[in-house]
């Protein structure tokens, strides 16, 4: 088990693409960090640099107390789980799990024992002599996890390990991964583009956008104090409503003329962006803000109202037992509902 | 395209109520049967003829029926020593042909796999150039470069050796090409997983790539074995020592007696030898057929 430290780590591909801008990350021992961001933002590149599968252009990488920049992947004491499982198709489950240990020169009996232990942990005992092609997707993913576990690594790396599974299995495996990681206490980096997966799994989340780290924080921090409009709209479903508006230092006003009384205002004056989460709003016939509902969307546990606030698109999420209908209504904001961002870069104010 | 689909639909809709004869199918089968006969009748005739004595064959040509000299002819073909030096019989030639076919196939597979491995997995300078240079040798089979090859082999004193017989034939790119295509379809993740598992280049090749290529290797083996077995020009040129003669070469040797005008050529024996020469490739294809098809079509990786 080890802490991980990225110091100005950067990646420029030979074709000149800067996939990861210099970034600083500190991961304490035993923490599960989720790298999340849209497709192509550099998550995999960052993870693969830690794995040693991709060369680090600049900066230093520590795993434990060792600089790992030029260490072969096999000697970094890591284990990686890939999106497409990457199991060896011609080897049995047991051989797949034991291959790394065999290459390390461990005696056969010890390998067999470790494989048996991992198989027990993952409910794979009945499948040890099967080939990967004779397993279901979920079982293959378990084998891939087993291959990672038997090596007793200091660091787990996951690159979208659940994206090939159906929704139900994904939820189940997510819980299993979390439980396993906590039981073993191994530091882990987990890449996903799914913000729900990120929120539920992570001790801390790193939000990446176009090769840049937008924010690092606990799920609660990311959700309640998004560092930018990008984070605000990427994390959370449905996404945060972002309005354009102005501030005079005392009070914020949405373009369209509606003033947000009592919501406070940033000290910066002039043009700003204003964010309100759909779930931080309550329908209130005596509320201060007129809301024109155009569409009601039923989601079972929730109900989404889409409409106009001060002439700008606005969505509200309500509990299923609150009545809702189209047409004009009034809303009130819950305390702390309003977030302010600057107009150009979208940084939090 | 359009009328094919239409006629298919028409065939389907009419087929069910009354089982009418599908003339298309009859036509297709007629063509297939004609083609099959065209291929099989000569083989049958040789087989039938291999049961006749030389005199009849000389006088009346190839035969359709069977006679009673079959045992004689095959015995002579296999065990009777012939040639100018009386140093070669059918069994020796069979062995030589097997050595050529198997040696060629194995050599080609090994060289091809290793070349493809280097080209696909290592960042070499000019790797693409190297590949295309290897690829152009597809256009230069041994027959095209036969004189320089002959020069080189005799200069190296490899005339009348198995090495001289096999090695120059190996120098061509078919296997390299097929293995390259195959290796490029092996998922990147698998290679990376192996790297993390501590498999270096040699281990990866032996533990992962070779087992994955099993069916491909089998398919290559069949193609190359038959190709090597059927070689005629090069063995004729490079082996003058009769104990190194291959079967394909030996058939001609028997027929040659005719042009020498000395005795009646041993037609029956020649026919028997032709059948013997055909058998191993047929057996290889029959036994490896399922692998062969799998190797060329399957992509279960
Ligand atoms: N081998 C490569 N060569 C050049 N550019 C690459 C390579 N791999 C990825 N990229 C580019 O780097 C960026 C980040 O890719 P990646 O890390 O795979 O994104 P993610 O995993 O977040 O979807 C993308 O713009 C991608 O096109
Ligand atoms: Mg990725």
């Amino acid at each position: 088990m080890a802490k991980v430290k990225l110091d100005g780590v950067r990646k420029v591909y030979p074709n000149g693409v800067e996939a990861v801008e210099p970034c600083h990350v500190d991961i304490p021992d035993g923490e599960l960090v989720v790298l999340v961001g849209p497709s192509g933002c550099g998550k995999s590149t960052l993870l693969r640099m830690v794995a040693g599968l991709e060369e680090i252009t600049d900066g230093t990488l520590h795993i434990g107390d060792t600089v790992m920049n030029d260490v072969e992947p096999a000697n970094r004491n890591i284990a990686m789980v890939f999106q497409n499982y990457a199991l060896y198709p011609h080897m049995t489950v047991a051989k797949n799990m034991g291959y790394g240990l065999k290459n390390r020169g461990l005696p056969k009996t010890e390998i067999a024992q470790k494989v048996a232990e991992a198989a027990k942990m993952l409910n794979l005992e009945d499948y040890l002599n099967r080939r990967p092609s004779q397993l279901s997707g979920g079982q293959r993913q378990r084998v891939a996890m087993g291959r990672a576990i038997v090596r007793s690594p200091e660091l787990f790396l996951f690159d979208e390990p659940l994206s090939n599974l159906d929704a139900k299995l994904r939820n189940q495996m997510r819980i299993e991964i979390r439980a396993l990681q906590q039981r073993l206490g191994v530091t882990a980096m987990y890449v996903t583009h799914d913000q729900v997966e990120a929120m539920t799994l992570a001790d801390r989340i790193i939000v990446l956008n176009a090769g840049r780290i937008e924010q690092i924080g606990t799920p609660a921090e990311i959700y309640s104090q998004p560092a930018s409009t990008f984070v605000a709209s990427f994390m959370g479903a449905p996404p945060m409503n972002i309005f354009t508006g102005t501030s005079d230092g005392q009070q914020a006003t949405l373009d369209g003329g509606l003033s947000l009384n009592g919501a406070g205002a940033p000290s910066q004056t002039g043009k700003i962006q204003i964010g309100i989460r759909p779930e931080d709003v309550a329908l209130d016939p005596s509320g201060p803000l007129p809301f024109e509902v155009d569409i009601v969307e039923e989601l079972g546990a929730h109900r989404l109202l889409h409409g106009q606030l001060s002439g700008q698109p606005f969505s509200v999420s309500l509990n299923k037992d609150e009545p809702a209908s189209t047409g004009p209504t009034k809303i009130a904001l819950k305390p702390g509902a309003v977030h302010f961002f600057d107009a150009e870069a979208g940084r939090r104010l | 395209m359009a009328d094919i689909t239409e006629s298919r639909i028409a065939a389907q809709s009419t087929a069910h109520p009354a089982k009418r004869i599908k003339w298309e199918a009859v036509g297709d089968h007629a063509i297939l049967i004609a083609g099959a006969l065209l291929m099989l009748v000569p083989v049958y005739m040789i087989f039938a003829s291999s049961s006749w004595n030389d005199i009849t064959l000389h006088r009346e040509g190839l035969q359709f029926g069977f006679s009673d000299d079959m045992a004689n002819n095959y015995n002579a073909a296999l065990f009777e020593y012939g040639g100018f030096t009386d140093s070669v019989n059918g069994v020796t030639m069979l062995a030589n042909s097997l050595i050529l076919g198997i040696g060629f196939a194995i050599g080609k597979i090994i060289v091809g796999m290793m070349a493809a491995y280097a080209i696909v997995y290592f960042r070499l300078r000019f790797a693409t150039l190297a590949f295309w240079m290897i690829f152009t040798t597809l256009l230069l089979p041994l027959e095209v470069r036969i004189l320089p090859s002959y020069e080189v082999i005799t200069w190296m004193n490899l005339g009348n050796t198995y090495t001289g017989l096999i090695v120059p034939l190996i120098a061509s790119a078919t296997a390299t090409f097929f293995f390259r295509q195959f290796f490029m379809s092996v998922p990147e993740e698998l290679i990376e997983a192996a790297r993390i598992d501590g498999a270096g280049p040699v281990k990866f090749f032996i533990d992962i790539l070779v087992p994955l290529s099993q069916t491909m290797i089998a398919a290559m083996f069949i193609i190359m074995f038959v190709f090597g077995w059927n070689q005629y020009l090069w063995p004729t040129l490079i082996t003058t020592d009769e104990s190194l003669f291959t079967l394909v070469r030996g058939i001609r040797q028997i027929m040659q007696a005719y042009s020498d005008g000395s005795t009646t050529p041993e037609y029956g024996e020649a026919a028997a030898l032709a059948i013997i020469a055909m058998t191993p490739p047929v057996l290889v294809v029959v036994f490896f057929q399922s692998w062969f098809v799998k190797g060329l079509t399957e992509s279960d990786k």
Side-chain angles (χ1 to χ4, degrees), chain A residues 48 87-88 90 99 103 151, chain B residues 190 192 196-197 203 207:
Chain A
R48 292 159 51 82
L87 301 177
Y88 311 119
H90 58 290
Y99 185 61
N103 287 339
R151 318 184 66 215
Chain B
L190 211 56
E192 294 175 344
I196 292 178
D197 269 344
K203 264 206 182 118
D207 287 353

Side-chain angles (χ1 to χ4, degrees), chain A residues 13-139:
Chain A
Y13 279 109
N15 62 2
V17 176
E18 184 175 28
V20 176
E21 294 178 18
C23 65
H24 302 269
V25 179
D26 260 310
I27 306 172
D29 195 358
E31 191 175 79
L32 194 160
V33 166
V34 174
L35 294 162
V36 68
S39 172
C41 70
K43 316 178 288 290
S44 295
T45 305
L46 191 58
L47 193 76
R48 292 159 51 82
M49 284 194 286
V50 176
L53 298 172
E54 213 61 79
E55 228 170 276
I56 297 171
T57 312
D58 280 315
T60 46
L61 163 73
H62 289 264
I63 300 177
D65 295 320
T66 328
V67 177
M68 287 291 184
N69 285 43
D70 299 318
V71 177
E72 269 295 302
N75 302 330
R76 292 190 182 196
N77 213 2
I78 51 151
M80 186 153 170
V81 177
F82 296 86
Q83 179 174 355
N84 298 312
Y85 323 127
L87 301 177
Y88 311 119
H90 58 290
M91 294 186 192
T92 61
V93 168
K95 290 241 170 70
N96 259 290
M97 292 208 248
Y99 185 61
L101 300 179
K102 187 178 147 222
N103 287 339
R104 283 188 189 175
L106 257 68
K108 271 209 177 98
T109 49
E110 199 173 325
I111 296 176
Q113 183 205 331
K114 288 199 168 196
V115 168
E117 246 170 56
K120 192 165 170 218
M121 214 184 286
L122 293 162
N123 282 327
L124 285 170
E125 286 154 306
D126 298 339
Y127 305 103
L128 281 176
N129 290 317
R130 292 216 198 162
R131 299 271 178 93
S133 57
Q134 300 163 316
L135 300 177
S136 70
Q139 289 166 339

Side-chain angles (χ1 to χ4, degrees), chain A:
Chain A
M1 275 137 277
K3 57 187 197 297
V4 178
K5 189 172 160 70
L6 281 73
D7 226 339
V9 167
R10 170 170 183 255
K11 178 70 191 183
V12 181
Y13 279 109
N15 62 2
V17 176
E18 184 175 28
V20 176
E21 294 178 18
C23 65
H24 302 269
V25 179
D26 260 310
I27 306 172
D29 195 358
E31 191 175 79
L32 194 160
V33 166
V34 174
L35 294 162
V36 68
S39 172
C41 70
K43 316 178 288 290
S44 295
T45 305
L46 191 58
L47 193 76
R48 292 159 51 82
M49 284 194 286
V50 176
L53 298 172
E54 213 61 79
E55 228 170 276
I56 297 171
T57 312
D58 280 315
T60 46
L61 163 73
H62 289 264
I63 300 177
D65 295 320
T66 328
V67 177
M68 287 291 184
N69 285 43
D70 299 318
V71 177
E72 269 295 302
N75 302 330
R76 292 190 182 196
N77 213 2
I78 51 151
M80 186 153 170
V81 177
F82 296 86
Q83 179 174 355
N84 298 312
Y85 323 127
L87 301 177
Y88 311 119
H90 58 290
M91 294 186 192
T92 61
V93 168
K95 290 241 170 70
N96 259 290
M97 292 208 248
Y99 185 61
L101 300 179
K102 187 178 147 222
N103 287 339
R104 283 188 189 175
L106 257 68
K108 271 209 177 98
T109 49
E110 199 173 325
I111 296 176
Q113 183 205 331
K114 288 199 168 196
V115 168
E117 246 170 56
K120 192 165 170 218
M121 214 184 286
L122 293 162
N123 282 327
L124 285 170
E125 286 154 306
D126 298 339
Y127 305 103
L128 281 176
N129 290 317
R130 292 216 198 162
R131 299 271 178 93
S133 57
Q134 300 163 316
L135 300 177
S136 70
Q139 289 166 339
R140 285 184 211 187
Q141 195 55 65
R142 281 215 189 86
V143 177
M145 304 254 303
R147 184 168 64 180
I149 293 171
V150 292
R151 318 184 66 215
S152 328
E154 297 190 313
L155 175 63
F156 279 137
L157 303 173
F158 298 92
D159 193 349
E160 312 217 10
L162 305 183
S163 52
N164 280 359
L165 304 178
D166 61 56
K168 193 168 166 231
L169 203 52
R170 195 150 54 208
N171 288 345
Q172 185 191 331
M173 288 297 292
R174 193 170 71 202
I175 295 165
E176 277 185 39
I177 288 181
R178 185 56 171 147
L180 203 65
Q181 189 267 341
Q182 277 179 344
R183 170 137 56 114
L184 299 170
V186 177
T187 319
M189 295 176 78
Y190 186 107
V191 161
T192 179
H193 63 261
D194 178 351
Q195 53 95 16
V196 178
E197 220 167 281
M199 293 296 268
T200 49
L201 268 176
D203 290 318
R204 278 195 308 156
I205 295 176
I206 299 175
V207 185
L208 275 170
N209 179 26
R212 203 162 10 89
I213 293 183
E214 292 269 337
Q215 186 171 7
I216 305 181
T218 64
E221 283 166 5
I222 299 266
Y223 180 79
S224 61
Q225 285 150 34
S228 65
T229 48
F230 174 83
V231 177
S233 49
F234 190 76
M235 302 300 287
M240 186 186 275
N241 298 288
I242 307 281
F243 303 93
T244 55
T246 52
S247 155
D248 59 7
Q250 311 290 319
Q251 182 173 315
T253 307
L254 301 181
D255 287 351
L258 192 62
S259 288
L260 300 173
N261 295 320
S267 54
Q268 180 176 330
T269 56
K271 276 191 161 310
I272 55 166
Q273 297 186 72
I274 298 162
I276 301 172
R277 288 215 180 267
E279 52 275 25
D280 288 346
V281 175
L283 285 193
D284 180 355
S286 58
L289 306 173
F291 174 38
E292 181 77 29
V293 181
D294 298 330
I295 300 168
V296 178
E297 230 182 329
E298 292 289 345
L299 295 179
H302 297 278
R303 201 172 275 148
L304 289 184
L305 314 184
H306 303 286
Q308 309 275 327
L309 187 71
S310 188
Q312 299 187 46
F314 185 51
S315 300
V316 171
S317 171
L318 294 181
N319 257 326
K320 63 177 188 312
D321 28 58
E322 285 184 66
S325 62
T326 55
T329 178
K330 296 238 167 142
I331 57 169
L333 300 176
K334 295 178 185 170
V338 183
H339 306 258
F340 300 107
F341 305 96
D342 76 24
E344 285 84 38
R347 305 304 303 175
R348 186 180 189 85
L349 294 172

Side-chain angles (χ1 to χ4, degrees), chain B residues 212-247:
Chain B
L212 278 184
S213 313
Q214 265 179 20
T215 49
M216 193 69 193
I217 291 173
M220 280 294 114
F221 183 84
I222 297 173
I223 296 175
M224 296 305 158
F225 175 80
V226 174
F227 184 84
W229 182 274
N230 286 337
Q231 281 302 308
Y232 175 69
L233 186 58
W234 180 250
T236 309
L237 210 62
I238 207 70
T239 56
T240 46
D241 180 345
E242 285 185 333
S243 66
L244 284 172
F245 276 13
T246 61
L247 271 177

